[in-house]
Amino acid sequence: MLRAGIPLIYRSKVWLECSGALEFNEPGVFRDLFLESSRFMRETKESTAKHVAMEEIEKDVTRTMPLNVFFGGDGQGVDKLRAVLGAYSLRNSAVGYCQGMNLVASTLLLVFADQQEAFWVFVAILEKILPPDFFSPSLLVSRACPLVLLDYVEEYLPKLFKHLNDLGVDLPAICFSWFLSLFTDCLPVETLFRVWDIFLCDKDGMDVLFRVSLAILKIGEDELLRCQSISSIYSVLESIPTKMWDPNMLLKASLSFRGRAFR
């Protein structure tokens, strides 16, 4: 079912159960965090020094997915996004709020009508599926991912690696956002959901991120090899994932890397 895609009607239930969110769910905790974060939000509007995370959240909630009717302008998703991010910033004050978290939370809210369920899946992603400190003020772990990807490109796509290296292309700089956003800022939404079907239900979510990244590069390899300048490489690399309208093609390509020794 995962390879074929989880039916829309069952997706939220499967994500909730397979992600490990139910292991974190504590009755009443989200409500308490939400109420406390709402108080901080009110104080933030008067004195932003009281809570830096809340100030950053407030900046981002109104500019997240601005073209989506659910979030754009006064869409009902804005308040839900503020609730999820605010509650998590208080649950995990060491992280607070970091770049990329708004994209992950808003994507969950496109699937979950219940903001509380979205919150607990968000917790499972950050605290179980992803490595510790993936989202942190320094972003050290997430910044390391595209560097590791570069090693995999050298190993599994050697011709492309040599071509990029010869042209002096900084592949990690381009691919960093793939990891930080968990592909939310580059893949078409239906393809993204299919990737997340596997990411949230696979025993190793990080393995999925690397396999999908390699698959994107493999699919675009011929076009990239024809590029003869850094600017053309950058342009193609930015456009390839946005044109992944066929999730089956992407996931099939990612399966060719399944079983490889990702470390």
Side-chain angles (χ1 to χ4, degrees):
M1 181 172 71
L2 292 181
R3 294 183 186 181
I6 299 170
L8 180 61
I9 192 173
Y10 300 122
R11 181 165 275 143
S12 60
K13 179 178 175 62
V14 174
W15 282 12
L16 187 68
E17 293 185 1
C18 292
S19 66
L22 297 179
E23 300 171 19
F24 292 94
N25 191 348
E26 299 178 65
V29 169
F30 173 75
R31 179 180 179 278
D32 292 344
L33 291 171
F34 167 64
L35 292 175
E36 186 177 357
S37 68
S38 296
R39 178 175 64 82
F40 273 116
M41 288 290 184
R42 290 193 296 271
E43 292 176 349
T44 296
K45 293 176 182 178
E46 300 171 4
S47 176
T48 57
K50 285 195 173 184
H51 204 307
V52 175
M54 296 300 174
E55 179 185 32
E56 294 304 311
I57 289 171
E58 195 59 35
K59 287 179 183 177
D60 279 355
V61 291
T62 56
R63 57 191 184 192
T64 299
M65 294 189 182
L67 301 180
N68 188 296
V69 66
F70 188 61
F71 290 102
D74 296 324
Q76 59 179 310
V78 174
D79 286 337
K80 290 187 174 184
L81 181 59
R82 182 184 290 113
V84 171
L85 294 175
Y88 189 79
S89 74
L90 295 180
R91 170 186 169 85
N92 189 343
S93 59
V95 171
Y97 173 72
C98 297
Q99 177 186 354
M101 290 170 62
N102 59 317
L103 297 175
V104 176
S106 58
T107 298
L108 289 172
L109 288 167
L110 292 177
V111 174
F112 290 93
D114 185 340
Q115 63 190 27
Q116 181 172 202
E117 291 183 343
F119 172 78
W120 290 115
V121 176
F122 186 68
V123 170
I125 290 173
L126 270 63
E127 299 182 12
K128 178 181 178 182
I129 297 174
L130 294 174
D133 298 325
F134 187 90
F135 285 103
S136 67
S138 67
L139 297 176
L140 284 177
V141 176
S142 50
R143 289 187 185 280
C145 289
L147 297 175
V148 175
L149 175 65
L150 187 61
D151 290 339
Y152 293 147
V153 173
E154 181 178 16
E155 183 175 355
Y156 301 126
L157 301 170
K159 187 183 297 185
L160 178 60
F161 176 84
K162 183 179 185 304
H163 183 63
L164 297 178
N165 194 53
D166 289 345
L167 289 176
V169 173
D170 187 356
L171 183 64
I174 300 172
C175 298
F176 171 59
S177 66
W178 296 1
F179 290 92
L180 187 65
S181 72
L182 307 184
F183 300 111
T184 58
D185 72 341
C186 60
L187 289 178
V189 67
E190 184 51 41
T191 302
L192 173 67
F193 286 163
R194 291 282 301 279
V195 168
W196 275 33
D197 285 345
I198 301 175
F199 169 69
L200 291 171
C201 300
D202 194 276
K203 64 181 180 180
D204 189 343
M206 284 304 301
D207 181 88
V208 174
L209 298 185
F210 283 115
R211 284 193 281 115
V212 171
S213 296
L214 285 169
I216 291 172
L217 295 172
K218 181 179 181 180
I219 291 171
E221 183 174 19
D222 289 343
E223 187 176 2
L224 289 166
L225 290 174
R226 289 194 294 270
C227 295
Q228 296 302 317
S229 68
I230 292 180
S231 59
S232 61
I233 287 280
Y234 286 164
S235 178
V236 170
L237 277 172
E238 289 181 354
S239 68
I240 288 173
T242 67
K243 296 185 291 186
M244 294 287 172
W245 301 107
D246 184 355
N248 293 321
M249 179 178 67
L250 177 61
L251 295 176
K252 182 178 179 180
S254 74
L255 285 175
S256 67
F257 298 103
R258 191 175 182 86
R260 304 295 177 90
F262 291 110
R263 50 191 181 276

